[in-house]
Amino acid sequence: MSETQEQFKRVQAVKRSINTASEEEKNQALLAIADALEAQVEDILVANAQDMALARGHISEVMLDRLYLDHERVISMAAGIRQVAQLPDPVGEILDETTLDNGLVLTKCRVAMGVVGIIYESRPNVTSDAAALALKSGNAVVLRTGKDAYQSAFAIVRAIQSALAQTAISPEVVQLLSDTSRESSYAMMRAKGYLDVLIPRGGAGLIQAVVENALVPVIETGTGIVHVYIDEQADLDKALAIVANAKTSRPSVCNAMEVLLVHEAVAEAFLPAIYQRLVSQRQAQGLEPVRLKCDAKAQAIIPGQLAGPDDFDTEFLDYVLAVKVVSSLQEAIDHIEQHSTHHSDAIVTEDKAHAAIFTRQVDSAAVYVNASTRFTDGGQFGLGCEMGISTQKLHARGPMGLKEMTTYKYIIQGNGQIRE
């Protein structure tokens, strides 16, 4: 039996210690984990430095930023766990209660999934976020990170397990797969009977592989081809700030803008201003400028590479932005419908009727009016942290917090009833 299979068996053997834990026990465990992360911060940073040294030169600078940890980021991870501890426990919540004509009392209540599997790439903070959400929602968790982040994840899980060893919850309820090869990912996809649900967090290739090959149920966290549409009735000062934030505050994350749509009535005024903001000003400040990939109408107004056939269907995760000029609100909506991954899309407008049409017709998990798409985040939505951003429509959609990590069961109370 492989080490991966052994880890599946170990988590199955101890899952009840978390599935049936009380709210107090779970909160004590989370607070102990937060303390352990802070106490072991130097060990975590040493491990991260090893990952960074091996990854440098092999992945882009923006992806290195996703991998990088410093003291402040680890302290922020601990703070996020404490926030999760303060959130209401979803397990045991009564969703519905009904008394039937025959006297049976049906109670629908929220329960843990059981064992959750997470496949994710080079973001060490996902390790602690996923563990915290899983534990608070009563779930054991099997984590599988990429080789780029393995040493960092291992140090984080070691801190988590050392904290759990001091509580009523088994340290084995948090497992990090030691095998970072592709085979361990496929083992998770085939782990029927061991994993109750599998959640991929990463690029389009990873998510597609999991969706196409998994035998266990999957919650699909989608890629983010995120659009911001500047309406003819937009406040252009608001639009400048929103676009700059959505594109440049952290381009390597899934809620960063990838496509800018501009109504032709404001394109002559807005496009030069956004070029100044994203390109000229950033160059003058010694920052990496945004590379613009423009359709023909946009390229006639501002410098930029002519967009290729795939540029409006690409999650760049970098300082790259596709730009298109549209002739109407409906053309913008139609473009989003054709090219969006239904993650997060925004309109900037002062016209309430246009905003209402946009929010009604754009079929994305998060639809914004006059705000940056960078808010699509569990912490920003008041969920503490998140397991991912779901772009599917069954069970969970948008940032996945505690309630999205649960299911429900019916409890039926009788007094000797039998069915005729």
Side-chain angles (χ1 to χ4, degrees), residues 72-86:
E72 182 179 352
R73 288 188 178 183
V74 176
I75 297 305
S76 178
M77 288 158 53
I81 293 172
R82 293 191 178 100
Q83 289 174 2
V84 173
Q86 293 173 0

Side-chain angles (χ1 to χ4, degrees), residues 67-275:
L67 176 60
Y68 176 67
L69 292 177
D70 57 18
H71 190 274
E72 182 179 352
R73 288 188 178 183
V74 176
I75 297 305
S76 178
M77 288 158 53
I81 293 172
R82 293 191 178 100
Q83 289 174 2
V84 173
Q86 293 173 0
L87 294 172
D89 188 349
V91 177
E93 178 187 355
I94 304 301
L95 300 175
D96 195 15
E97 193 167 79
T98 304
T99 301
L100 303 181
D101 291 342
N102 60 12
L104 289 176
V105 179
L106 274 61
T107 303
K108 182 180 180 182
C109 66
R110 197 180 295 280
V111 296
M113 294 274 195
V115 180
V116 177
I118 315 291
I119 302 178
Y120 59 106
E121 295 175 339
S122 303
R123 295 182 66 178
N125 64 295
V126 173
T127 307
S128 60
D129 286 356
L133 284 171
L135 296 176
K136 180 65 184 248
S137 55
N139 294 293
V141 63
V142 177
L143 303 166
R144 191 275 188 193
T145 189
K147 64 180 181 179
D148 290 340
Y150 179 76
Q151 296 300 328
S152 304
F154 181 80
I156 292 166
V157 170
R158 186 167 52 196
I160 291 170
Q161 291 180 333
S162 71
L164 290 175
Q166 311 303 315
T167 73
I169 298 168
S170 170
E172 297 283 303
V173 300
V174 179
Q175 293 283 331
L176 175 69
L177 295 188
S178 55
D179 181 1
T180 60
S181 71
R182 184 170 297 179
E183 181 54 39
S184 68
S185 291
Y186 284 106
M188 292 184 77
M189 298 176 207
R190 298 189 295 263
K192 201 168 182 180
Y194 292 106
L195 302 181
D196 294 286
V197 67
L198 182 59
I199 303 172
R201 285 192 63 171
L206 168 64
I207 294 167
Q208 183 177 359
V210 172
V211 170
E212 291 180 353
N213 294 285
L215 300 179
V216 299
V218 174
I219 298 178
E220 182 178 353
T221 62
T223 53
I225 299 179
V226 173
H227 299 74
V228 176
Y229 165 59
I230 311 305
D231 187 49
E232 61 182 319
Q233 300 298 329
D235 178 319
L236 297 188
D237 288 334
K238 285 182 188 176
L240 279 171
I242 288 168
V243 169
N245 180 261
K247 181 68 250 182
T248 65
S249 63
R250 200 171 182 193
S252 63
V253 293
C254 62
N255 56 27
M257 178 182 65
E258 303 289 19
V259 180
L260 173 64
L261 304 175
V262 182
H263 193 285
E264 62 185 10
V266 296
E268 293 281 355
F270 183 74
L271 287 177
I274 201 62
Y275 181 88

Side-chain angles (χ1 to χ4, degrees), residues 262-324:
V262 182
H263 193 285
E264 62 185 10
V266 296
E268 293 281 355
F270 183 74
L271 287 177
I274 201 62
Y275 181 88
Q276 177 72 13
R277 186 73 168 265
L278 298 185
V279 181
S280 302
Q281 285 185 13
R282 290 182 63 83
Q283 285 177 325
Q285 295 166 358
L287 301 173
E288 185 173 351
V290 176
R291 289 185 291 125
L292 303 179
K293 297 194 172 187
C294 304
D295 77 340
K297 290 182 179 179
Q299 195 184 46
I301 300 172
I302 56 172
Q305 178 184 347
L306 184 64
D310 297 327
D311 286 329
F312 291 100
D313 296 295
T314 300
E315 185 184 32
F316 299 111
L317 300 175
D318 205 343
Y319 290 103
V320 183
L321 179 65
V323 183
K324 180 179 178 63

